[in-house]
Amino acid sequence: MLYGCHVSTRGGYLAAAVRAEAQGAKSFQYFPKNPRALSVKSFDRTDAKRCAAYCTERGLHSIAHTPYPTNLAAADADQRSRTVSSLLNDLDIAEACGSIGVVVHFGIYKGAEPLAGYQNIITALNEVTAQWDGKAKLLIENQAGDHAFMGTTFEELATVRSLCNAPLQIGFCLDTCHLFASGGWNGEPNAPWLKKATETGVLPHIEAIHFNDSKYESGQRKDRHAAIGAGMIGEQGLRWLLQAPELKNVPFVLETPTEGAGSHKQQLERMVIWGTER
Ligand SMILES: [Zn+2]
């Protein structure tokens, strides 16, 4: 069970891996650089390589998360080109740290023609993969629908991937809070969305789960994560997902609050119980 949590990189990438393990995590997510800016960071490769070696030795799995301003769908060509440079840098860091890939959202399209938004996403992904030959993948995350409906359905995820020039370099990260917030899941066990993920061909390419409960009800399109068991998804559905055989080798990474809701260590302990108890 590759359960883990988002951790800070204070002290470097190796420090992040050590910090994750101290929480009892088998997987973790980190920001490869300042999450609030689109930038190209010159990073400490020795530290990154030490992180990779440590993870191999301890059986830890990791994913990186792109900075918030990353916007594949941007209508503005300059913003998109800065997004491409930033993503290549994220992939470089993730590869050096031994990570599975880099989590990226569709982004926000503000132009007049929604189909052009999808075209921008595909163009940006193609520009990245044309310049990337490493093993780390781009992992597209489903969105909550808080800005627009774009990026919320399995059909969109599958179609965008299949229209890209290098689909093998593209996988998915499924966020449970976003799925619930978008109305794609009402929290029930044996949910139809898993069948949909299978039929659309998304399932085999889910390389990571963002395992988050939701502060708001299903369909509210509010991207507000809650601690495991402290939100609206509910224990039954979360238990079902933790025990889903289809996802048993996929890292489940918490991006949940800890204030008043239990530390990540405690939430991970809860996940271990819910993932094994019948
Ligand atoms: Zn997420």
Side-chain angles (χ1 to χ4, degrees):
M1 295 178 292
L2 302 175
Y3 303 156
C5 54
H6 186 97
V7 288
S8 151
T9 53
R10 196 166 14 92
Y13 302 117
L14 172 62
V18 172
R19 191 169 287 125
E21 207 182 26
Q23 305 279 321
K26 290 279 172 216
S27 63
F28 64 97
Q29 174 176 268
Y30 61 96
F31 287 119
K33 59 197 182 200
N34 177 2
R36 273 168 259 287
L38 268 188
S39 60
V40 173
K41 176 179 173 171
S42 58
F43 63 101
D44 182 345
R45 284 191 187 269
T46 308
D47 174 41
K49 293 224 156 65
R50 284 193 186 125
C51 170
Y54 185 84
C55 290
T56 305
E57 185 189 305
R58 318 288 289 197
L60 282 164
H61 297 246
S62 69
I63 48 175
H65 196 296
T66 53
Y68 300 116
T70 305
N71 191 358
L72 297 172
D76 177 56
D78 177 58
Q79 196 191 356
R80 212 167 63 244
S81 99
R82 286 188 299 120
T83 287
V84 168
S85 306
S86 173
L87 273 168
L88 283 162
N89 179 231
D90 293 335
L91 283 166
D92 191 16
I93 297 172
E95 181 92 2
C97 289
S99 305
I100 299 165
V102 170
V103 177
V104 60
H105 305 175
F106 272 13
I108 302 164
Y109 175 73
K110 289 196 175 136
E113 177 47 69
L115 288 180
Y118 292 105
Q119 186 59 62
N120 294 344
I121 292 164
I122 293 165
T123 302
L125 290 169
N126 286 342
E127 284 175 12
V128 174
T129 57
Q131 300 169 72
W132 177 245
D133 60 1
K135 279 191 289 188
K137 292 182 182 180
L138 292 164
L139 306 176
I140 301 173
E141 177 175 5
N142 63 311
Q143 300 196 148
D146 47 344
H147 298 287
F149 209 71
M150 197 177 261
T152 57
T153 67
F154 291 107
E155 286 87 346
E156 285 166 281
L157 299 180
T159 306
V160 164
R161 181 179 184 272
S162 70
L163 290 173
C164 282
N165 292 340
L168 293 177
Q169 292 183 301
I170 298 168
F172 302 109
C173 173
L174 182 70
D175 188 306
T176 53
C177 171
H178 299 177
L179 182 65
F180 186 79
S182 71
W185 185 24
N186 63 8
E188 67 189 338
N190 306 311
W193 67 256
L194 190 60
K195 198 163 166 251
K196 180 73 80 182
T198 310
E199 285 166 1
T200 51
V202 164
L203 187 71
H205 304 292
I206 295 178
E207 307 264 3
I209 305 266
H210 279 167
F211 196 64
N212 302 313
D213 211 329
S214 169
K215 285 202 168 124
Y216 288 91
E217 283 171 29
S218 173
Q220 296 288 304
R221 297 195 191 183
K222 288 210 165 106
D223 183 7
R224 294 287 305 281
H225 302 180
I228 297 310
M232 306 294 287
I233 297 181
E235 185 176 331
Q236 265 205 316
L238 294 174
R239 276 180 182 261
W240 162 70
L241 198 54
L242 287 166
Q243 298 188 14
E246 297 89 337
L247 298 167
K248 78 170 187 297
N249 297 318
V250 177
F252 278 55
V253 178
L254 296 168
E255 296 176 304
T256 56
T258 50
E259 316 80 48
S263 62
H264 278 155
K265 189 167 194 286
Q266 288 168 320
Q267 293 182 53
L268 288 166
E269 284 164 3
R270 196 169 307 148
M271 285 164 70
V272 170
I273 295 167
W274 287 7
T276 46
E277 267 181 12
R278 286 281 159 190

